[in-house]
mmCIF file of all heavy atoms in Angstrom:
data_model
loop_
_atom_site.group_PDB
_atom_site.id
_atom_site.type_symbol
_atom_site.label_atom_id
_atom_site.label_comp_id
_atom_site.label_asym_id
_atom_site.label_seq_id
_atom_site.Cartn_x
_atom_site.Cartn_y
_atom_site.Cartn_z
ATOM 1 N N PHE A 1458 -0.831 18.418 -3.304
ATOM 2 C CA PHE A 1458 -1.921 17.907 -2.473
ATOM 3 C C PHE A 1458 -1.530 18.074 -1.009
ATOM 4 O O PHE A 1458 -0.797 17.263 -0.447
ATOM 5 C CB PHE A 1458 -2.227 16.451 -2.815
ATOM 6 C CG PHE A 1458 -2.894 16.283 -4.147
ATOM 7 C CD1 PHE A 1458 -2.144 16.120 -5.296
ATOM 8 C CD2 PHE A 1458 -4.276 16.326 -4.256
ATOM 9 C CE1 PHE A 1458 -2.753 15.989 -6.536
ATOM 10 C CE2 PHE A 1458 -4.902 16.198 -5.484
ATOM 11 C CZ PHE A 1458 -4.143 16.037 -6.628
ATOM 12 N N LYS A 1459 -2.036 19.127 -0.409
ATOM 13 C CA LYS A 1459 -1.765 19.453 0.985
ATOM 14 C C LYS A 1459 -2.966 20.210 1.543
ATOM 15 O O LYS A 1459 -3.818 20.699 0.789
ATOM 16 C CB LYS A 1459 -0.503 20.303 1.115
ATOM 17 C CG LYS A 1459 -0.585 21.636 0.367
ATOM 18 C CD LYS A 1459 0.733 22.390 0.428
ATOM 19 C CE LYS A 1459 0.632 23.693 -0.356
ATOM 20 N NZ LYS A 1459 1.926 24.431 -0.357
ATOM 21 N N SER A 1460 -3.028 20.305 2.841
ATOM 22 C CA SER A 1460 -4.148 20.999 3.474
ATOM 23 C C SER A 1460 -3.954 22.506 3.395
ATOM 24 O O SER A 1460 -2.917 23.028 3.819
ATOM 25 C CB SER A 1460 -4.278 20.566 4.934
ATOM 26 O OG SER A 1460 -5.316 21.279 5.577
ATOM 27 N N VAL A 1461 -4.935 23.193 2.850
ATOM 28 C CA VAL A 1461 -4.927 24.658 2.849
ATOM 29 C C VAL A 1461 -6.137 25.184 3.623
ATOM 30 O O VAL A 1461 -6.339 26.392 3.708
ATOM 31 C CB VAL A 1461 -4.932 25.221 1.412
ATOM 32 C CG1 VAL A 1461 -3.671 24.810 0.672
ATOM 33 C CG2 VAL A 1461 -6.170 24.776 0.645
ATOM 34 N N LYS A 1462 -6.916 24.267 4.163
ATOM 35 C CA LYS A 1462 -8.100 24.629 4.928
ATOM 36 C C LYS A 1462 -8.332 23.550 5.977
ATOM 37 O O LYS A 1462 -8.388 22.370 5.661
ATOM 38 C CB LYS A 1462 -9.319 24.741 4.003
ATOM 39 C CG LYS A 1462 -10.595 25.167 4.682
ATOM 40 C CD LYS A 1462 -11.722 25.274 3.662
ATOM 41 C CE LYS A 1462 -13.037 25.677 4.318
ATOM 42 N NZ LYS A 1462 -14.135 25.776 3.310
ATOM 43 N N LYS A 1463 -8.447 23.934 7.231
ATOM 44 C CA LYS A 1463 -8.630 22.971 8.304
ATOM 45 C C LYS A 1463 -9.956 22.241 8.159
ATOM 46 O O LYS A 1463 -10.949 22.812 7.720
ATOM 47 C CB LYS A 1463 -8.572 23.673 9.661
ATOM 48 C CG LYS A 1463 -7.192 24.188 10.054
ATOM 49 C CD LYS A 1463 -7.228 24.778 11.450
ATOM 50 C CE LYS A 1463 -5.841 25.259 11.877
ATOM 51 N NZ LYS A 1463 -5.868 25.843 13.253
ATOM 52 N N ILE A 1464 -9.944 20.972 8.549
ATOM 53 C CA ILE A 1464 -11.205 20.235 8.576
ATOM 54 C C ILE A 1464 -11.952 20.603 9.855
ATOM 55 O O ILE A 1464 -11.366 21.080 10.830
ATOM 56 C CB ILE A 1464 -10.987 18.713 8.493
ATOM 57 C CG1 ILE A 1464 -10.151 18.202 9.666
ATOM 58 C CG2 ILE A 1464 -10.334 18.345 7.174
ATOM 59 C CD1 ILE A 1464 -10.017 16.683 9.700
ATOM 60 N N ASN A 1465 -13.249 20.382 9.849
ATOM 61 C CA ASN A 1465 -14.078 20.705 11.007
ATOM 62 C C ASN A 1465 -13.897 19.683 12.120
ATOM 63 O O ASN A 1465 -13.534 18.530 11.878
ATOM 64 C CB ASN A 1465 -15.545 20.755 10.588
ATOM 65 C CG ASN A 1465 -15.831 21.943 9.681
ATOM 66 O OD1 ASN A 1465 -15.702 23.098 10.091
ATOM 67 N ND2 ASN A 1465 -16.216 21.666 8.443
ATOM 68 N N LYS A 1466 -14.183 20.108 13.344
ATOM 69 C CA LYS A 1466 -14.109 19.194 14.482
ATOM 70 C C LYS A 1466 -15.148 18.093 14.357
ATOM 71 O O LYS A 1466 -14.911 16.954 14.768
ATOM 72 C CB LYS A 1466 -14.286 19.970 15.788
ATOM 73 C CG LYS A 1466 -13.117 20.898 16.113
ATOM 74 C CD LYS A 1466 -13.308 21.573 17.459
ATOM 75 C CE LYS A 1466 -12.104 22.467 17.778
ATOM 76 N NZ LYS A 1466 -12.262 23.142 19.099
ATOM 77 N N LYS A 1467 -16.316 18.462 13.807
ATOM 78 C CA LYS A 1467 -17.358 17.487 13.542
ATOM 79 C C LYS A 1467 -17.590 17.403 12.038
ATOM 80 O O LYS A 1467 -17.484 18.403 11.328
ATOM 81 C CB LYS A 1467 -18.651 17.885 14.251
ATOM 82 C CG LYS A 1467 -18.560 17.815 15.769
ATOM 83 C CD LYS A 1467 -19.914 18.103 16.423
ATOM 84 C CE LYS A 1467 -19.833 17.972 17.931
ATOM 85 N NZ LYS A 1467 -21.142 18.243 18.589
ATOM 86 N N LEU A 1468 -17.899 16.214 11.558
ATOM 87 C CA LEU A 1468 -18.087 15.988 10.132
ATOM 88 C C LEU A 1468 -19.238 16.834 9.586
ATOM 89 O O LEU A 1468 -20.358 16.780 10.101
ATOM 90 C CB LEU A 1468 -18.354 14.501 9.879
ATOM 91 C CG LEU A 1468 -18.629 14.082 8.435
ATOM 92 C CD1 LEU A 1468 -17.445 14.416 7.540
ATOM 93 C CD2 LEU A 1468 -18.934 12.580 8.379
ATOM 94 N N LYS A 1469 -18.944 17.610 8.525
ATOM 95 C CA LYS A 1469 -19.962 18.452 7.901
ATOM 96 C C LYS A 1469 -20.075 18.233 6.396
ATOM 97 O O LYS A 1469 -21.169 18.251 5.851
ATOM 98 C CB LYS A 1469 -19.678 19.927 8.186
ATOM 99 C CG LYS A 1469 -19.836 20.339 9.635
ATOM 100 C CD LYS A 1469 -19.621 21.840 9.810
ATOM 101 C CE LYS A 1469 -19.842 22.259 11.266
ATOM 102 N NZ LYS A 1469 -19.654 23.731 11.440
ATOM 103 N N THR A 1470 -18.923 18.037 5.713
ATOM 104 C CA THR A 1470 -18.930 17.963 4.251
ATOM 105 C C THR A 1470 -18.219 16.702 3.771
ATOM 106 O O THR A 1470 -17.096 16.408 4.187
ATOM 107 C CB THR A 1470 -18.251 19.205 3.630
ATOM 108 O OG1 THR A 1470 -18.893 20.379 4.118
ATOM 109 C CG2 THR A 1470 -18.354 19.172 2.114
ATOM 110 N N VAL A 1471 -18.880 15.972 2.882
ATOM 111 C CA VAL A 1471 -18.356 14.721 2.330
ATOM 112 C C VAL A 1471 -18.165 14.886 0.826
ATOM 113 O O VAL A 1471 -19.047 15.377 0.124
ATOM 114 C CB VAL A 1471 -19.329 13.549 2.606
ATOM 115 C CG1 VAL A 1471 -18.844 12.272 1.914
ATOM 116 C CG2 VAL A 1471 -19.488 13.328 4.106
ATOM 117 N N LEU A 1472 -17.020 14.460 0.342
ATOM 118 C CA LEU A 1472 -16.730 14.472 -1.092
ATOM 119 C C LEU A 1472 -16.697 13.032 -1.603
ATOM 120 O O LEU A 1472 -15.973 12.197 -1.063
ATOM 121 C CB LEU A 1472 -15.385 15.142 -1.364
ATOM 122 C CG LEU A 1472 -14.859 15.062 -2.816
ATOM 123 C CD1 LEU A 1472 -15.741 15.863 -3.770
ATOM 124 C CD2 LEU A 1472 -13.412 15.548 -2.893
ATOM 125 N N VAL A 1473 -17.483 12.743 -2.639
ATOM 126 C CA VAL A 1473 -17.381 11.473 -3.341
ATOM 127 C C VAL A 1473 -16.469 11.705 -4.544
ATOM 128 O O VAL A 1473 -16.820 12.441 -5.465
ATOM 129 C CB VAL A 1473 -18.755 10.953 -3.810
ATOM 130 C CG1 VAL A 1473 -18.581 9.695 -4.658
ATOM 131 C CG2 VAL A 1473 -19.635 10.650 -2.619
ATOM 132 N N LEU A 1474 -15.288 11.102 -4.511
ATOM 133 C CA LEU A 1474 -14.290 11.267 -5.567
ATOM 134 C C LEU A 1474 -14.111 9.928 -6.264
ATOM 135 O O LEU A 1474 -13.395 9.054 -5.798
ATOM 136 C CB LEU A 1474 -12.969 11.754 -4.955
ATOM 137 C CG LEU A 1474 -11.766 11.913 -5.881
ATOM 138 C CD1 LEU A 1474 -12.083 12.841 -7.044
ATOM 139 C CD2 LEU A 1474 -10.566 12.441 -5.096
ATOM 140 N N ASN A 1475 -14.811 9.750 -7.382
ATOM 141 C CA ASN A 1475 -14.827 8.446 -8.038
ATOM 142 C C ASN A 1475 -15.299 8.610 -9.475
ATOM 143 O O ASN A 1475 -16.387 9.142 -9.718
ATOM 144 C CB ASN A 1475 -15.756 7.492 -7.282
ATOM 145 C CG ASN A 1475 -15.608 6.057 -7.709
ATOM 146 O OD1 ASN A 1475 -15.630 5.744 -8.889
ATOM 147 N ND2 ASN A 1475 -15.458 5.166 -6.736
ATOM 148 N N ASN A 1476 -14.501 8.140 -10.421
ATOM 149 C CA ASN A 1476 -14.873 8.246 -11.828
ATOM 150 C C ASN A 1476 -15.908 7.212 -12.248
ATOM 151 O O ASN A 1476 -16.469 7.305 -13.338
ATOM 152 C CB ASN A 1476 -13.628 8.114 -12.715
ATOM 153 C CG ASN A 1476 -12.781 9.362 -12.698
ATOM 154 O OD1 ASN A 1476 -13.263 10.466 -12.880
ATOM 155 N ND2 ASN A 1476 -11.483 9.190 -12.444
ATOM 156 N N GLN A 1477 -16.166 6.213 -11.408
ATOM 157 C CA GLN A 1477 -17.089 5.142 -11.757
ATOM 158 C C GLN A 1477 -18.503 5.364 -11.210
ATOM 159 O O GLN A 1477 -19.465 4.819 -11.735
ATOM 160 C CB GLN A 1477 -16.557 3.801 -11.240
ATOM 161 C CG GLN A 1477 -15.134 3.478 -11.684
ATOM 162 C CD GLN A 1477 -14.986 3.391 -13.187
ATOM 163 O OE1 GLN A 1477 -15.893 2.953 -13.879
ATOM 164 N NE2 GLN A 1477 -13.850 3.825 -13.707
ATOM 165 N N ILE A 1478 -18.629 6.141 -10.157
ATOM 166 C CA ILE A 1478 -19.935 6.338 -9.532
ATOM 167 C C ILE A 1478 -20.726 7.406 -10.282
ATOM 168 O O ILE A 1478 -20.229 8.519 -10.500
ATOM 169 C CB ILE A 1478 -19.779 6.739 -8.057
ATOM 170 C CG1 ILE A 1478 -19.217 5.570 -7.243
ATOM 171 C CG2 ILE A 1478 -21.118 7.178 -7.469
ATOM 172 C CD1 ILE A 1478 -19.020 5.878 -5.765
ATOM 173 N N SER A 1479 -21.940 7.078 -10.666
ATOM 174 C CA SER A 1479 -22.826 8.051 -11.304
ATOM 175 C C SER A 1479 -23.950 8.409 -10.338
ATOM 176 O O SER A 1479 -24.265 7.650 -9.412
ATOM 177 C CB SER A 1479 -23.418 7.491 -12.599
ATOM 178 O OG SER A 1479 -24.383 6.501 -12.320
ATOM 179 N N GLN A 1480 -24.561 9.553 -10.554
ATOM 180 C CA GLN A 1480 -25.626 10.007 -9.657
ATOM 181 C C GLN A 1480 -26.887 9.155 -9.787
ATOM 182 O O GLN A 1480 -27.791 9.259 -8.959
ATOM 183 C CB GLN A 1480 -25.914 11.481 -9.917
ATOM 184 C CG GLN A 1480 -24.781 12.384 -9.429
ATOM 185 C CD GLN A 1480 -24.956 13.825 -9.835
ATOM 186 O OE1 GLN A 1480 -24.846 14.181 -11.004
ATOM 187 N NE2 GLN A 1480 -25.233 14.676 -8.864
ATOM 188 N N ASP A 1481 -26.936 8.324 -10.826
ATOM 189 C CA ASP A 1481 -28.066 7.413 -10.998
ATOM 190 C C ASP A 1481 -27.789 6.033 -10.403
ATOM 191 O O ASP A 1481 -28.689 5.195 -10.346
ATOM 192 C CB ASP A 1481 -28.399 7.255 -12.491
ATOM 193 C CG ASP A 1481 -28.871 8.548 -13.116
ATOM 194 O OD1 ASP A 1481 -29.533 9.334 -12.412
ATOM 195 O OD2 ASP A 1481 -28.561 8.779 -14.300
ATOM 196 N N GLY A 1482 -26.548 5.803 -9.976
ATOM 197 C CA GLY A 1482 -26.158 4.494 -9.481
ATOM 198 C C GLY A 1482 -26.531 4.276 -8.020
ATOM 199 O O GLY A 1482 -26.767 5.224 -7.257
ATOM 200 N N LEU A 1483 -26.561 3.006 -7.622
ATOM 201 C CA LEU A 1483 -26.959 2.648 -6.260
ATOM 202 C C LEU A 1483 -25.986 3.182 -5.219
ATOM 203 O O LEU A 1483 -26.405 3.656 -4.155
ATOM 204 C CB LEU A 1483 -27.073 1.126 -6.137
ATOM 205 C CG LEU A 1483 -27.522 0.597 -4.766
ATOM 206 C CD1 LEU A 1483 -28.881 1.166 -4.379
ATOM 207 C CD2 LEU A 1483 -27.555 -0.927 -4.778
ATOM 208 N N ASP A 1484 -24.692 3.132 -5.500
ATOM 209 C CA ASP A 1484 -23.695 3.621 -4.542
ATOM 210 C C ASP A 1484 -23.974 5.073 -4.176
ATOM 211 O O ASP A 1484 -23.991 5.449 -2.999
ATOM 212 C CB ASP A 1484 -22.281 3.501 -5.122
ATOM 213 C CG ASP A 1484 -21.745 2.083 -5.070
ATOM 214 O OD1 ASP A 1484 -22.517 1.170 -4.725
ATOM 215 O OD2 ASP A 1484 -20.562 1.887 -5.386
ATOM 216 N N PHE A 1485 -24.164 5.899 -5.196
ATOM 217 C CA PHE A 1485 -24.386 7.328 -4.952
ATOM 218 C C PHE A 1485 -25.694 7.547 -4.203
ATOM 219 O O PHE A 1485 -25.768 8.399 -3.305
ATOM 220 C CB PHE A 1485 -24.401 8.108 -6.266
ATOM 221 C CG PHE A 1485 -24.486 9.594 -6.069
ATOM 222 C CD1 PHE A 1485 -23.343 10.346 -5.845
ATOM 223 C CD2 PHE A 1485 -25.717 10.254 -6.066
ATOM 224 C CE1 PHE A 1485 -23.423 11.715 -5.629
ATOM 225 C CE2 PHE A 1485 -25.808 11.610 -5.854
ATOM 226 C CZ PHE A 1485 -24.656 12.349 -5.641
ATOM 227 N N LYS A 1486 -26.720 6.800 -4.564
ATOM 228 C CA LYS A 1486 -28.005 6.964 -3.893
ATOM 229 C C LYS A 1486 -27.894 6.650 -2.413
ATOM 230 O O LYS A 1486 -28.472 7.345 -1.569
ATOM 231 C CB LYS A 1486 -29.051 6.077 -4.563
ATOM 232 C CG LYS A 1486 -29.463 6.551 -5.965
ATOM 233 C CD LYS A 1486 -30.491 5.628 -6.584
ATOM 234 C CE LYS A 1486 -30.889 6.120 -7.978
ATOM 235 N NZ LYS A 1486 -31.879 5.214 -8.621
ATOM 236 N N ILE A 1487 -27.145 5.593 -2.068
ATOM 237 C CA ILE A 1487 -26.946 5.239 -0.655
ATOM 238 C C ILE A 1487 -26.197 6.353 0.068
ATOM 239 O O ILE A 1487 -26.595 6.781 1.168
ATOM 240 C CB ILE A 1487 -26.174 3.902 -0.545
ATOM 241 C CG1 ILE A 1487 -27.054 2.739 -1.002
ATOM 242 C CG2 ILE A 1487 -25.683 3.683 0.895
ATOM 243 C CD1 ILE A 1487 -26.317 1.421 -1.091
ATOM 244 N N ILE A 1488 -25.121 6.826 -0.524
ATOM 245 C CA ILE A 1488 -24.323 7.889 0.101
ATOM 246 C C ILE A 1488 -25.154 9.160 0.260
ATOM 247 O O ILE A 1488 -25.125 9.821 1.306
ATOM 248 C CB ILE A 1488 -23.052 8.166 -0.723
ATOM 249 C CG1 ILE A 1488 -22.150 6.926 -0.748
ATOM 250 C CG2 ILE A 1488 -22.284 9.361 -0.163
ATOM 251 C CD1 ILE A 1488 -21.024 7.002 -1.762
ATOM 252 N N ASN A 1489 -25.904 9.497 -0.762
ATOM 253 C CA ASN A 1489 -26.728 10.707 -0.733
ATOM 254 C C ASN A 1489 -27.798 10.619 0.355
ATOM 255 O O ASN A 1489 -28.041 11.593 1.091
ATOM 256 C CB ASN A 1489 -27.380 10.913 -2.097
ATOM 257 C CG ASN A 1489 -28.060 12.265 -2.217
ATOM 258 O OD1 ASN A 1489 -27.525 13.285 -1.773
ATOM 259 N ND2 ASN A 1489 -29.244 12.289 -2.803
ATOM 260 N N GLU A 1490 -28.456 9.461 0.480
ATOM 261 C CA GLU A 1490 -29.497 9.289 1.497
ATOM 262 C C GLU A 1490 -28.915 9.412 2.903
ATOM 263 O O GLU A 1490 -29.512 10.049 3.776
ATOM 264 C CB GLU A 1490 -30.180 7.936 1.317
ATOM 265 C CG GLU A 1490 -31.103 7.869 0.112
ATOM 266 C CD GLU A 1490 -31.748 6.498 -0.050
ATOM 267 O OE1 GLU A 1490 -31.628 5.678 0.895
ATOM 268 O OE2 GLU A 1490 -32.347 6.249 -1.100
ATOM 269 N N VAL A 1491 -27.747 8.811 3.122
ATOM 270 C CA VAL A 1491 -27.122 8.881 4.445
ATOM 271 C C VAL A 1491 -26.717 10.316 4.762
ATOM 272 O O VAL A 1491 -26.918 10.795 5.893
ATOM 273 C CB VAL A 1491 -25.904 7.940 4.520
ATOM 274 C CG1 VAL A 1491 -25.117 8.186 5.814
ATOM 275 C CG2 VAL A 1491 -26.344 6.489 4.443
ATOM 276 N N CYS A 1492 -26.157 11.015 3.791
ATOM 277 C CA CYS A 1492 -25.756 12.410 4.018
ATOM 278 C C CYS A 1492 -26.974 13.269 4.349
ATOM 279 O O CYS A 1492 -26.916 14.138 5.232
ATOM 280 C CB CYS A 1492 -25.025 12.956 2.798
ATOM 281 S SG CYS A 1492 -23.344 12.315 2.617
ATOM 282 N N ASN A 1493 -28.080 13.039 3.662
ATOM 283 C CA ASN A 1493 -29.303 13.787 3.960
ATOM 284 C C ASN A 1493 -29.801 13.494 5.366
ATOM 285 O O ASN A 1493 -30.198 14.401 6.113
ATOM 286 C CB ASN A 1493 -30.395 13.452 2.938
ATOM 287 C CG ASN A 1493 -30.142 14.092 1.588
ATOM 288 O OD1 ASN A 1493 -29.473 15.130 1.498
ATOM 289 N ND2 ASN A 1493 -30.666 13.491 0.529
ATOM 290 N N GLU A 1494 -29.768 12.222 5.754
ATOM 291 C CA GLU A 1494 -30.248 11.832 7.088
ATOM 292 C C GLU A 1494 -29.353 12.371 8.198
ATOM 293 O O GLU A 1494 -29.829 12.669 9.300
ATOM 294 C CB GLU A 1494 -30.335 10.309 7.179
ATOM 295 C CG GLU A 1494 -31.428 9.710 6.309
ATOM 296 C CD GLU A 1494 -31.416 8.191 6.316
ATOM 297 O OE1 GLU A 1494 -30.698 7.599 7.151
ATOM 298 O OE2 GLU A 1494 -32.129 7.577 5.485
ATOM 299 N N MET A 1495 -28.057 12.525 7.909
ATOM 300 C CA MET A 1495 -27.114 13.008 8.918
ATOM 301 C C MET A 1495 -26.833 14.497 8.767
ATOM 302 O O MET A 1495 -25.950 15.043 9.436
ATOM 303 C CB MET A 1495 -25.809 12.202 8.835
ATOM 304 C CG MET A 1495 -25.983 10.729 9.140
ATOM 305 S SD MET A 1495 -24.421 9.772 9.063
ATOM 306 C CE MET A 1495 -23.534 10.441 10.472
#
Side-chain angles (χ1 to χ4, degrees):
F1458 289 89
K1459 60 185 178 182
S1460 177
V1461 297
K1462 182 179 179 180
K1463 290 184 178 180
I1464 60 175
N1465 291 296
K1466 291 184 178 180
K1467 293 185 177 180
L1468 178 60
K1469 292 184 178 181
T1470 304
V1471 175
L1472 172 67
V1473 174
L1474 177 56
N1475 192 310
N1476 285 310
Q1477 306 299 326
I1478 292 180
S1479 72
Q1480 289 172 290
D1481 296 326
L1483 182 58
D1484 282 8
F1485 186 85
K1486 289 179 180 179
I1487 290 173
I1488 297 168
N1489 190 42
E1490 287 179 11
V1491 171
C1492 286
N1493 286 334
E1494 291 175 11
M1495 297 181 68

